[in-house]
Amino acid sequence: MRANGTFSVKAFVPTELKPEPAVTTGLPVGVATMEKHFEGEIAGRSATLFTAAYDQQSGVGTYVAMESFEGSLHGRPGAFNFVHSATTSGSDRTAEFFTIVPSSGTGDLAGISGTGGLAVDADGTHRIRLDYELG
């Protein structure tokens, strides 16, 4: 099944977590927590651990995010984890990865598996797509 929705970031909080041992590279590595709210066929909220090597000025970098979602897909309530990452050269998204974490589903979403994707429209609307199965 495919579920589509939009989301907004309600909180983005950088943390003081620093990788050890300290290694200096061309881009700084940062960690943050996020809260997102979802609407549409995907409705609910998520708590996210977000890690990135990113240059704010040029918009170049890569991120990896682990999300814990609770809400509903097509009206089925439950929770599950998903992970996603992408790279940008400042105006694009490449090397995208998105998967639902196996065995993470609860409630009516127990047994969920699948993939998905994220996109940002020209007007700034954030979109999510899940291609999933319930097993």
Side-chain angles (χ1 to χ4, degrees):
M1 296 186 71
R2 174 167 284 182
N4 294 293
T6 60
F7 67 91
S8 58
V9 176
K10 297 298 180 184
F12 184 91
V13 181
T15 71
E16 293 298 317
L17 180 64
K18 300 290 182 192
E20 290 293 333
V23 175
T24 302
T25 62
L27 291 176
V29 174
V31 178
T33 60
M34 298 173 71
E35 179 183 349
K36 295 179 183 175
H37 290 195
F38 298 82
E39 296 179 352
E41 296 168 336
I42 304 165
R45 66 182 183 159
S46 71
T48 306
L49 295 175
F50 184 87
T51 303
Y54 187 74
D55 177 15
Q56 292 282 348
Q57 286 188 328
S58 67
V60 172
T62 299
Y63 81 89
V64 177
M66 176 65 73
E67 301 207 28
S68 298
F69 171 85
E70 67 179 359
S72 64
L73 296 182
H74 291 116
R76 293 182 181 96
F80 59 92
N81 300 108
F82 60 96
V83 62
H84 53 97
S85 65
T87 295
T88 180
S89 63
S91 61
D92 62 351
R93 284 176 61 90
T94 61
E96 292 182 85
F97 174 81
F98 189 118
T99 194
I100 295 171
V101 177
S103 298
S104 67
T106 67
D108 288 352
L109 301 177
I112 192 169
S113 63
T115 63
L118 302 174
V120 181
D121 295 346
D123 68 1
T125 302
H126 288 69
R127 298 193 180 279
I128 183 170
R129 175 192 86 253
L130 290 176
D131 295 311
Y132 70 95
E133 295 180 8
L134 294 170

